[in-house]
Amino acid sequence: MTDHPNDYIKPELMACCGAREIRDGDVVVVGTGFPTMSANIAKHTHAPRAVMMQESGVYDARPRRPALSVGDACLNPGAAMIGGLVDIMGMFLQGGWIDVGFLSGSQVDRFGNINTTCIGPYDQPKSRLPGSGGANPIGAMARRVLIIAQHDPRRLPARVDFVTTPGYIDGAGAREKWNLPAGTGPHVIITNKAVLRFDPETKEAYLASFHPGCTIDEIRSLTGWDLKVADDVHETEPPRAEELQVIREVLDPHRMIKIYESKGYV
Amino acid sequence: MSKVMTMKEAVAAHVQDGDFVYIGGYICRTPFSAVHEIIRQRKSGLTITRGNAADDFDMMIGAGVVKRFISTFISLGLYGLARCYRRSLEKGIPHRIEVEEYTNLSLPMMLMAGAMGMPFVPVKDLLGTDLLNIRGFMGENKYKRIESPFDGRPVLLVPALNPDVGIIHVQQADEGGNAQMWGIGGDCKYGANASKKVIVSCERIVSRETIGKDPSRTIVPDFKVAAVVEEPFASHPGYTPGFYDLDLGFGYLYKEASGTVEGFEAFLKEWVYDLPDRAAYIQHFIDRFGYARFRSLQARFDFGYPVSYEY
């Protein structure tokens, strides 16, 4: 039987959920924080041949400490290749070679569209956000997009204020209509309460599993649309002992992951 | 031919009011001394661009030198949203800049097209999103959708960018401007080569012979370069691989200062307006924070094997 220690924190569970979506041999574009941690957990457990790159130009980095940004100095020494944005985003992502991308945003909607541009109207924003960066092309062209989100109705509305990054846009058939590459798109939304997956027919996100301690009613009340529930909905598997060991002893000995608790991922 | 000059001379001679300016960097090799000099000379009406902009762009926007920003993203990284940028778009302080938004795929490809003398480049991003719906100052020229002449399928074209001047910081260059860079590239190579002329700042000026020992590191050849400025520590508070690391403490100081208009103005006065040049900036940094902290940012020497080109 798999050992599941019960002293984990929610961000550790979320990182493990991300790791479990990565398959051996996957080519993964990562940002910092959750994505890097998830990809590394996978590499240290079930997916040793997964490889990572950063959009800034780095391929297969071997950093001596956790990177603080995708442009961090620690990504340079020991990488297998360093180019630039045109290499990673152009040749590899647009060229169709990226299996997994990770994204987060201020808002994520029921079709997996992501907003990182503005809250409120574009011309008179209540809050102006950083913009797309690499999110739009990753959302358009990675085969499986893993979305990390905080679970509350403001952050998970039925429709985002601004579609910065395409999910399934306005539902079934929309990505095809826009000629986005076949076989790409949002794969899962991992929140601090649940794991949502996408209905293959309607392309709408539904509740696949609820994290230990969370209830289906609570999760539905925190979601900005009428969240459908899978027939086989179940409790999310808690972090396994080996996953926690990798996080705490190898990847993050200084417990930097706790910063996500102060950001509301509890 | 030597093109070596001071940053003051380079910016005065080669950055005009109203110019379209590419500024390189990706936290890595940010040409901060040039940015400070542009602000110090109170340039105005600039259009600025780079994929993944950061504190250097935020500072120029706050200082009022920017009219237009061809953008993909701007933030203070670890320290969150870019405060001057937000004040400009949310409240019109010091004025509301105009923004045209692309992505970290399309914008670098637009610079690549510019570098190669192509009028446009096809891309697969932007489609199906509101980034395609909003148009700023480029209007109808933001993009065109056509049917591919080869397979008849719809394709999105985005225009080439050819900045009036490109400014980059690199590890080393010779006096003519052959510029050598290593580490994370961002869109630096294409941005510089898309520009009509280039200002190169470097950690050290080396001989043409030294350039020739590792020619594959050269990203801009001397004939495209208008000015070479030897400016150690020019990327601070960003970093330059092999020379110094990111200054997180200073990043926090900027975040705190730029949180208010008054704080930002005081920051500009202390770190830009009241200092004549980069040498004075470094001296002020040492006076303020101590030599030990200045030294602590320096990279260790790597005793690894040099690249060999023997045959």
Side-chain angles (χ1 to χ4, degrees), chain A residues 160-186:
Chain A
V160 292
D161 289 4
F162 187 99
V163 180
T164 313
T165 299
Y168 292 105
I169 311 176
D170 35 35
R175 284 180 74 92
E176 292 77 6
K177 192 185 85 187
W178 283 102
N179 214 16
L180 295 177
T184 61

PDB file of all heavy atoms in Angstrom, chain A residues 160-186:
ATOM      1  N   VAL A 160     -14.077  34.919 -18.510  1.00  0.00           N
ATOM      2  CA  VAL A 160     -13.053  35.870 -18.080  1.00  0.00           C
ATOM      3  C   VAL A 160     -13.324  37.257 -18.674  1.00  0.00           C
ATOM      4  O   VAL A 160     -13.960  37.376 -19.721  1.00  0.00           O
ATOM      5  CB  VAL A 160     -11.634  35.404 -18.497  1.00  0.00           C
ATOM      6  CG1 VAL A 160     -11.227  34.164 -17.728  1.00  0.00           C
ATOM      7  CG2 VAL A 160     -11.555  35.147 -20.007  1.00  0.00           C
ATOM      8  N   ASP A 161     -12.826  38.311 -18.001  1.00  0.00           N
ATOM      9  CA  ASP A 161     -13.027  39.678 -18.496  1.00  0.00           C
ATOM     10  C   ASP A 161     -12.339  39.880 -19.847  1.00  0.00           C
ATOM     11  O   ASP A 161     -12.785  40.686 -20.669  1.00  0.00           O
ATOM     12  CB  ASP A 161     -12.438  40.710 -17.508  1.00  0.00           C
ATOM     13  CG  ASP A 161     -13.254  40.820 -16.234  1.00  0.00           C
ATOM     14  OD1 ASP A 161     -14.227  40.047 -16.088  1.00  0.00           O
ATOM     15  OD2 ASP A 161     -12.922  41.674 -15.388  1.00  0.00           O
ATOM     16  N   PHE A 162     -11.224  39.188 -20.030  1.00  0.00           N
ATOM     17  CA  PHE A 162     -10.411  39.373 -21.240  1.00  0.00           C
ATOM     18  C   PHE A 162      -9.748  38.037 -21.536  1.00  0.00           C
ATOM     19  O   PHE A 162      -9.136  37.441 -20.651  1.00  0.00           O
ATOM     20  CB  PHE A 162      -9.351  40.459 -20.972  1.00  0.00           C
ATOM     21  CG  PHE A 162      -8.557  40.873 -22.188  1.00  0.00           C
ATOM     22  CD1 PHE A 162      -8.870  42.023 -22.895  1.00  0.00           C
ATOM     23  CD2 PHE A 162      -7.483  40.101 -22.628  1.00  0.00           C
ATOM     24  CE1 PHE A 162      -8.123  42.408 -24.011  1.00  0.00           C
ATOM     25  CE2 PHE A 162      -6.736  40.479 -23.744  1.00  0.00           C
ATOM     26  CZ  PHE A 162      -7.061  41.635 -24.434  1.00  0.00           C
ATOM     27  N   VAL A 163      -9.896  37.556 -22.753  1.00  0.00           N
ATOM     28  CA  VAL A 163      -9.247  36.288 -23.099  1.00  0.00           C
ATOM     29  C   VAL A 163      -7.827  36.586 -23.585  1.00  0.00           C
ATOM     30  O   VAL A 163      -7.624  36.986 -24.727  1.00  0.00           O
ATOM     31  CB  VAL A 163     -10.023  35.509 -24.179  1.00  0.00           C
ATOM     32  CG1 VAL A 163      -9.291  34.184 -24.499  1.00  0.00           C
ATOM     33  CG2 VAL A 163     -11.449  35.227 -23.732  1.00  0.00           C
ATOM     34  N   THR A 164      -6.864  36.416 -22.671  1.00  0.00           N
ATOM     35  CA  THR A 164      -5.462  36.591 -23.057  1.00  0.00           C
ATOM     36  C   THR A 164      -4.956  35.330 -23.735  1.00  0.00           C
ATOM     37  O   THR A 164      -4.226  35.385 -24.714  1.00  0.00           O
ATOM     38  CB  THR A 164      -4.599  36.865 -21.811  1.00  0.00           C
ATOM     39  OG1 THR A 164      -5.213  37.849 -21.004  1.00  0.00           O
ATOM     40  CG2 THR A 164      -3.192  37.300 -22.202  1.00  0.00           C
ATOM     41  N   THR A 165      -5.349  34.193 -23.159  1.00  0.00           N
ATOM     42  CA  THR A 165      -4.827  32.901 -23.598  1.00  0.00           C
ATOM     43  C   THR A 165      -5.989  31.987 -23.940  1.00  0.00           C
ATOM     44  O   THR A 165      -6.913  31.847 -23.131  1.00  0.00           O
ATOM     45  CB  THR A 165      -3.988  32.282 -22.463  1.00  0.00           C
ATOM     46  OG1 THR A 165      -2.898  33.159 -22.190  1.00  0.00           O
ATOM     47  CG2 THR A 165      -3.468  30.908 -22.833  1.00  0.00           C
ATOM     48  N   PRO A 166      -5.961  31.360 -25.118  1.00  0.00           N
ATOM     49  CA  PRO A 166      -7.110  30.542 -25.494  1.00  0.00           C
ATOM     50  C   PRO A 166      -7.154  29.215 -24.749  1.00  0.00           C
ATOM     51  O   PRO A 166      -6.166  28.497 -24.682  1.00  0.00           O
ATOM     52  CB  PRO A 166      -6.871  30.300 -26.998  1.00  0.00           C
ATOM     53  CG  PRO A 166      -5.382  30.306 -27.138  1.00  0.00           C
ATOM     54  CD  PRO A 166      -4.880  31.305 -26.119  1.00  0.00           C
ATOM     55  N   GLY A 167      -8.339  28.936 -24.179  1.00  0.00           N
ATOM     56  CA  GLY A 167      -8.627  27.583 -23.746  1.00  0.00           C
ATOM     57  C   GLY A 167      -9.440  26.974 -24.873  1.00  0.00           C
ATOM     58  O   GLY A 167      -8.999  26.948 -26.020  1.00  0.00           O
ATOM     59  N   TYR A 168     -10.661  26.522 -24.529  1.00  0.00           N
ATOM     60  CA  TYR A 168     -11.539  26.054 -25.601  1.00  0.00           C
ATOM     61  C   TYR A 168     -12.421  27.192 -26.136  1.00  0.00           C
ATOM     62  O   TYR A 168     -13.431  26.959 -26.794  1.00  0.00           O
ATOM     63  CB  TYR A 168     -12.361  24.849 -25.121  1.00  0.00           C
ATOM     64  CG  TYR A 168     -11.451  23.651 -24.907  1.00  0.00           C
ATOM     65  CD1 TYR A 168     -11.095  23.230 -23.628  1.00  0.00           C
ATOM     66  CD2 TYR A 168     -10.910  22.970 -25.993  1.00  0.00           C
ATOM     67  CE1 TYR A 168     -10.221  22.163 -23.437  1.00  0.00           C
ATOM     68  CE2 TYR A 168     -10.039  21.905 -25.808  1.00  0.00           C
ATOM     69  CZ  TYR A 168      -9.702  21.512 -24.532  1.00  0.00           C
ATOM     70  OH  TYR A 168      -8.832  20.468 -24.356  1.00  0.00           O
ATOM     71  N   ILE A 169     -12.049  28.436 -25.819  1.00  0.00           N
ATOM     72  CA  ILE A 169     -12.635  29.669 -26.346  1.00  0.00           C
ATOM     73  C   ILE A 169     -14.121  29.730 -26.015  1.00  0.00           C
ATOM     74  O   ILE A 169     -14.456  29.953 -24.864  1.00  0.00           O
ATOM     75  CB  ILE A 169     -12.327  29.848 -27.845  1.00  0.00           C
ATOM     76  CG1 ILE A 169     -10.807  29.624 -28.051  1.00  0.00           C
ATOM     77  CG2 ILE A 169     -12.726  31.248 -28.326  1.00  0.00           C
ATOM     78  CD1 ILE A 169     -10.345  29.657 -29.483  1.00  0.00           C
ATOM     79  N   ASP A 170     -15.064  29.482 -26.979  1.00  0.00           N
ATOM     80  CA  ASP A 170     -16.468  29.449 -26.554  1.00  0.00           C
ATOM     81  C   ASP A 170     -17.080  28.060 -26.655  1.00  0.00           C
ATOM     82  O   ASP A 170     -18.294  27.927 -26.791  1.00  0.00           O
ATOM     83  CB  ASP A 170     -17.319  30.512 -27.242  1.00  0.00           C
ATOM     84  CG  ASP A 170     -16.886  30.749 -28.674  1.00  0.00           C
ATOM     85  OD1 ASP A 170     -16.478  29.768 -29.319  1.00  0.00           O
ATOM     86  OD2 ASP A 170     -16.946  31.903 -29.128  1.00  0.00           O
ATOM     87  N   GLY A 171     -16.239  27.052 -26.557  1.00  0.00           N
ATOM     88  CA  GLY A 171     -16.780  25.694 -26.453  1.00  0.00           C
ATOM     89  C   GLY A 171     -16.338  24.788 -27.587  1.00  0.00           C
ATOM     90  O   GLY A 171     -15.350  25.048 -28.274  1.00  0.00           O
ATOM     91  N   ALA A 172     -17.089  23.717 -27.754  1.00  0.00           N
ATOM     92  CA  ALA A 172     -16.711  22.671 -28.715  1.00  0.00           C
ATOM     93  C   ALA A 172     -16.542  23.247 -30.115  1.00  0.00           C
ATOM     94  O   ALA A 172     -17.357  24.061 -30.565  1.00  0.00           O
ATOM     95  CB  ALA A 172     -17.781  21.579 -28.718  1.00  0.00           C
ATOM     96  N   GLY A 173     -15.480  22.854 -30.786  1.00  0.00           N
ATOM     97  CA  GLY A 173     -15.257  23.247 -32.180  1.00  0.00           C
ATOM     98  C   GLY A 173     -14.559  24.577 -32.372  1.00  0.00           C
ATOM     99  O   GLY A 173     -14.149  24.911 -33.486  1.00  0.00           O
ATOM    100  N   ALA A 174     -14.437  25.370 -31.278  1.00  0.00           N
ATOM    101  CA  ALA A 174     -13.904  26.728 -31.456  1.00  0.00           C
ATOM    102  C   ALA A 174     -12.409  26.725 -31.780  1.00  0.00           C
ATOM    103  O   ALA A 174     -11.949  27.494 -32.625  1.00  0.00           O
ATOM    104  CB  ALA A 174     -14.169  27.562 -30.202  1.00  0.00           C
ATOM    105  N   ARG A 175     -11.656  25.873 -31.136  1.00  0.00           N
ATOM    106  CA  ARG A 175     -10.212  25.845 -31.449  1.00  0.00           C
ATOM    107  C   ARG A 175      -9.981  25.421 -32.900  1.00  0.00           C
ATOM    108  O   ARG A 175      -9.112  25.950 -33.583  1.00  0.00           O
ATOM    109  CB  ARG A 175      -9.469  24.898 -30.489  1.00  0.00           C
ATOM    110  CG  ARG A 175      -9.259  25.476 -29.103  1.00  0.00           C
ATOM    111  CD  ARG A 175      -8.534  24.510 -28.185  1.00  0.00           C
ATOM    112  NE  ARG A 175      -7.119  24.373 -28.455  1.00  0.00           N
ATOM    113  CZ  ARG A 175      -6.160  25.100 -27.860  1.00  0.00           C
ATOM    114  NH1 ARG A 175      -6.480  26.017 -26.974  1.00  0.00           N
ATOM    115  NH2 ARG A 175      -4.891  24.897 -28.174  1.00  0.00           N
ATOM    116  N   GLU A 176     -10.800  24.478 -33.359  1.00  0.00           N
ATOM    117  CA  GLU A 176     -10.693  24.024 -34.752  1.00  0.00           C
ATOM    118  C   GLU A 176     -11.027  25.168 -35.699  1.00  0.00           C
ATOM    119  O   GLU A 176     -10.355  25.378 -36.709  1.00  0.00           O
ATOM    120  CB  GLU A 176     -11.634  22.838 -35.001  1.00  0.00           C
ATOM    121  CG  GLU A 176     -11.240  21.542 -34.275  1.00  0.00           C
ATOM    122  CD  GLU A 176     -11.576  21.540 -32.782  1.00  0.00           C
ATOM    123  OE1 GLU A 176     -12.231  22.507 -32.297  1.00  0.00           O
ATOM    124  OE2 GLU A 176     -11.191  20.579 -32.085  1.00  0.00           O
ATOM    125  N   LYS A 177     -12.093  25.921 -35.335  1.00  0.00           N
ATOM    126  CA  LYS A 177     -12.512  27.041 -36.181  1.00  0.00           C
ATOM    127  C   LYS A 177     -11.391  28.061 -36.329  1.00  0.00           C
ATOM    128  O   LYS A 177     -11.187  28.650 -37.399  1.00  0.00           O
ATOM    129  CB  LYS A 177     -13.751  27.708 -35.560  1.00  0.00           C
ATOM    130  CG  LYS A 177     -14.459  28.689 -36.463  1.00  0.00           C
ATOM    131  CD  LYS A 177     -15.598  29.408 -35.734  1.00  0.00           C
ATOM    132  CE  LYS A 177     -15.056  30.615 -34.977  1.00  0.00           C
ATOM    133  NZ  LYS A 177     -16.068  31.253 -34.120  1.00  0.00           N
ATOM    134  N   TRP A 178     -10.643  28.266 -35.243  1.00  0.00           N
ATOM    135  CA  TRP A 178      -9.543  29.238 -35.272  1.00  0.00           C
ATOM    136  C   TRP A 178      -8.244  28.627 -35.790  1.00  0.00           C
ATOM    137  O   TRP A 178      -7.208  29.267 -35.782  1.00  0.00           O
ATOM    138  CB  TRP A 178      -9.326  29.842 -33.879  1.00  0.00           C
ATOM    139  CG  TRP A 178     -10.364  30.866 -33.558  1.00  0.00           C
ATOM    140  CD1 TRP A 178     -11.457  30.703 -32.764  1.00  0.00           C
ATOM    141  CD2 TRP A 178     -10.407  32.206 -34.032  1.00  0.00           C
ATOM    142  NE1 TRP A 178     -12.183  31.865 -32.710  1.00  0.00           N
ATOM    143  CE2 TRP A 178     -11.565  32.801 -33.481  1.00  0.00           C
ATOM    144  CE3 TRP A 178      -9.591  32.973 -34.871  1.00  0.00           C
ATOM    145  CZ2 TRP A 178     -11.914  34.137 -33.746  1.00  0.00           C
ATOM    146  CZ3 TRP A 178      -9.928  34.281 -35.124  1.00  0.00           C
ATOM    147  CH2 TRP A 178     -11.081  34.858 -34.567  1.00  0.00           C
ATOM    148  N   ASN A 179      -8.300  27.365 -36.198  1.00  0.00           N
ATOM    149  CA  ASN A 179      -7.133  26.737 -36.808  1.00  0.00           C
ATOM    150  C   ASN A 179      -5.975  26.547 -35.825  1.00  0.00           C
ATOM    151  O   ASN A 179      -4.814  26.519 -36.223  1.00  0.00           O
ATOM    152  CB  ASN A 179      -6.657  27.573 -38.008  1.00  0.00           C
ATOM    153  CG  ASN A 179      -6.091  26.698 -39.112  1.00  0.00           C
ATOM    154  OD1 ASN A 179      -6.309  25.484 -39.116  1.00  0.00           O
ATOM    155  ND2 ASN A 179      -5.356  27.291 -40.035  1.00  0.00           N
ATOM    156  N   LEU A 180      -6.295  26.434 -34.521  1.00  0.00           N
ATOM    157  CA  LEU A 180      -5.238  26.124 -33.568  1.00  0.00           C
ATOM    158  C   LEU A 180      -4.813  24.673 -33.790  1.00  0.00           C
ATOM    159  O   LEU A 180      -5.605  23.845 -34.236  1.00  0.00           O
ATOM    160  CB  LEU A 180      -5.726  26.347 -32.132  1.00  0.00           C
ATOM    161  CG  LEU A 180      -6.065  27.810 -31.801  1.00  0.00           C
ATOM    162  CD1 LEU A 180      -6.618  27.934 -30.384  1.00  0.00           C
ATOM    163  CD2 LEU A 180      -4.847  28.706 -31.979  1.00  0.00           C
ATOM    164  N   PRO A 181      -3.548  24.331 -33.519  1.00  0.00           N
ATOM    165  CA  PRO A 181      -3.050  22.999 -33.869  1.00  0.00           C
ATOM    166  C   PRO A 181      -3.901  21.876 -33.254  1.00  0.00           C
ATOM    167  O   PRO A 181      -4.310  21.952 -32.098  1.00  0.00           O
ATOM    168  CB  PRO A 181      -1.631  22.996 -33.286  1.00  0.00           C
ATOM    169  CG  PRO A 181      -1.243  24.441 -33.218  1.00  0.00           C
ATOM    170  CD  PRO A 181      -2.511  25.190 -32.944  1.00  0.00           C
ATOM    171  N   ALA A 182      -4.127  20.848 -34.052  1.00  0.00           N
ATOM    172  CA  ALA A 182      -4.956  19.721 -33.594  1.00  0.00           C
ATOM    173  C   ALA A 182      -4.303  19.045 -32.390  1.00  0.00           C
ATOM    174  O   ALA A 182      -3.083  18.965 -32.289  1.00  0.00           O
ATOM    175  CB  ALA A 182      -5.123  18.726 -34.738  1.00  0.00           C
ATOM    176  N   GLY A 183      -5.140  18.554 -31.500  1.00  0.00           N
ATOM    177  CA  GLY A 183      -4.635  17.796 -30.366  1.00  0.00           C
ATOM    178  C   GLY A 183      -3.974  18.631 -29.290  1.00  0.00           C
ATOM    179  O   GLY A 183      -3.178  18.130 -28.508  1.00  0.00           O
ATOM    180  N   THR A 184      -4.284  19.933 -29.256  1.00  0.00           N
ATOM    181  CA  THR A 184      -3.735  20.803 -28.206  1.00  0.00           C
ATOM    182  C   THR A 184      -4.868  21.329 -27.337  1.00  0.00           C
ATOM    183  O   THR A 184      -6.037  21.206 -27.698  1.00  0.00           O
ATOM    184  CB  THR A 184      -3.002  22.013 -28.819  1.00  0.00           C
ATOM    185  OG1 THR A 184      -3.937  22.786 -29.595  1.00  0.00           O
ATOM    186  CG2 THR A 184      -1.866  21.558 -29.734  1.00  0.00           C
ATOM    187  N   GLY A 185      -4.518  21.946 -26.200  1.00  0.00           N
ATOM    188  CA  GLY A 185      -5.537  22.624 -25.397  1.00  0.00           C
ATOM    189  C   GLY A 185      -5.445  22.326 -23.923  1.00  0.00           C
ATOM    190  O   GLY A 185      -4.617  21.528 -23.478  1.00  0.00           O
ATOM    191  N   PRO A 186      -6.328  22.968 -23.140  1.00  0.00           N
ATOM    192  CA  PRO A 186      -6.310  22.771 -21.691  1.00  0.00           C
ATOM    193  C   PRO A 186      -6.607  21.316 -21.337  1.00  0.00           C
ATOM    194  O   PRO A 186      -7.480  20.686 -21.956  1.00  0.00           O
ATOM    195  CB  PRO A 186      -7.423  23.680 -21.175  1.00  0.00           C
ATOM    196  CG  PRO A 186      -7.709  24.635 -22.271  1.00  0.00           C
ATOM    197  CD  PRO A 186      -7.348  23.955 -23.547  1.00  0.00           C
TER     198      PRO A 186
END
